[in-house]
Amino acid sequence: MTHVKGKRRYDSAGRRAQARRSREEILDVAERRFLADGYAATTIVAVAAEAEVSVETIYKAFGGKSGLVRAIYERGLTGREPVPAYRRSDDMRAHETDPETIMRRWGLLTAEVASVVTPIRLLMRSAAATDPDVSAVLEDSDAERLTRMSHHARFLGERGYLRDGVTVAEATDILWTCSSVEIYELLVLKRGWSPQRFADFIADFMIASLLPDSEQNGRASGEPLPDDQ
């Protein structure tokens, strides 16, 4: 009996692993198809054939083309490393006490995630003009990102990092704008900036917009001002 139970647990784990591999393959195929052929021209039948799964499998797992787009976008938000970007961000800010360092690392994470999600985000933006389902996915993604940036802004406010006069609501809007793919599209895709230059720019902008200037930081930490001041 013990042997049978162990075998069942093994089989169950194997099936889950196979399901994950199948899901990733479907998303890989769908992303290639969407970006190469466009949203309208890509069909579930074509994705299923290339991924070697049934059409029913895709509909059951994703609910159709708009569901595939949503899943591709959400996968991209995890970034390029095994640990999801949002988890790395939360772990970092929980232990880091220097606000400028937090901004620098957020800049790097912003550039990393944008490099993954921008192509599919631009496809979503184009398809949303004629497809209400994709339009809903686009609106949901904006709302989810706004919630995430509000979470960050509250953290900055609770830590006392925000400069005088900057409210949590204003900080939310600034962070939401900095994390938009539109800025990445303009500077990296259209103007040819490197990801590192983009990350530095985002960090510099957040520091200048949200944090006290260096003089205020010095006074807050008890550091003496220069003699000529």
Side-chain angles (χ1 to χ4, degrees):
M1 181 66 72
T2 301
H3 175 72
V4 172
K5 288 182 178 179
K7 186 174 186 302
R8 286 176 179 172
R9 285 197 295 271
Y10 175 81
D11 289 346
S12 178
R15 286 196 296 271
R16 289 196 298 271
Q18 178 57 43
R20 286 193 295 270
R21 288 192 294 270
S22 178
R23 175 185 173 85
E24 290 302 304
E25 177 63 17
I26 292 169
L27 293 180
D28 288 344
V29 169
E31 185 169 11
R32 286 197 301 270
R33 288 273 183 166
F34 282 137
L35 297 181
D37 303 331
Y39 182 80
T42 299
T43 66
I44 296 294
V45 171
V47 173
E50 187 174 339
E52 298 182 343
V53 298
S54 68
V55 169
E56 290 76 15
T57 294
I58 295 181
Y59 277 110
K60 182 178 180 179
F62 302 101
K65 288 204 297 184
S66 64
L68 281 171
V69 168
R70 181 190 294 274
I72 294 166
Y73 179 78
E74 290 177 348
R75 182 177 67 167
L77 292 175
T78 65
R80 296 185 178 276
E81 297 185 11
V83 178
Y86 63 84
R87 188 176 302 164
R88 283 179 277 145
S89 174
D90 287 349
D91 289 345
M92 177 274 299
R93 74 174 204 183
H95 298 96
E96 180 57 60
T97 58
D98 177 42
E100 288 199 12
T101 299
I102 292 172
M103 298 299 176
R104 293 287 169 204
R105 294 183 180 176
W106 277 351
L108 289 170
L109 286 170
T110 298
E112 177 191 333
V113 171
S115 71
V116 182
V117 303
T118 295
I120 197 68
R121 172 78 182 193
L122 296 180
L123 179 136
M124 290 162 58
R125 194 173 70 191
S126 175
T130 56
D131 190 306
D133 291 335
V134 178
S135 179
V137 172
L138 196 65
E139 290 178 5
D140 288 346
S141 68
D142 277 340
E144 289 163 3
R145 187 165 54 84
L146 186 62
T147 297
R148 177 73 178 166
M149 294 306 109
S150 176
H151 181 60
H152 284 332
R154 288 196 302 273
F155 160 80
L156 294 174
E158 290 167 358
R159 281 278 186 95
Y161 291 154
L162 294 177
R163 71 192 307 165
D164 291 344
V166 176
T167 65
V168 169
E170 184 178 358
T172 298
D173 291 343
I174 291 170
L175 293 172
W176 188 67
T177 300
C178 287
S179 62
S180 68
V181 301
E182 285 75 14
I183 297 180
Y184 186 90
E185 177 192 11
L186 289 173
L187 296 179
V188 178
L189 300 186
K190 293 190 175 182
R191 298 303 303 160
W193 284 25
S194 69
Q196 184 62 58
R197 185 182 180 189
F198 176 77
D200 291 341
F201 168 79
I202 291 297
D204 288 341
F205 185 84
M206 291 189 295
I207 289 168
S209 301
L210 299 175
L211 302 185
D213 61 31
S214 57
E215 288 185 8
Q216 290 174 308
N217 278 330
R219 289 193 292 273
S221 61
E223 296 176 3
L225 293 173
D227 292 340
D228 60 356
Q229 295 182 3

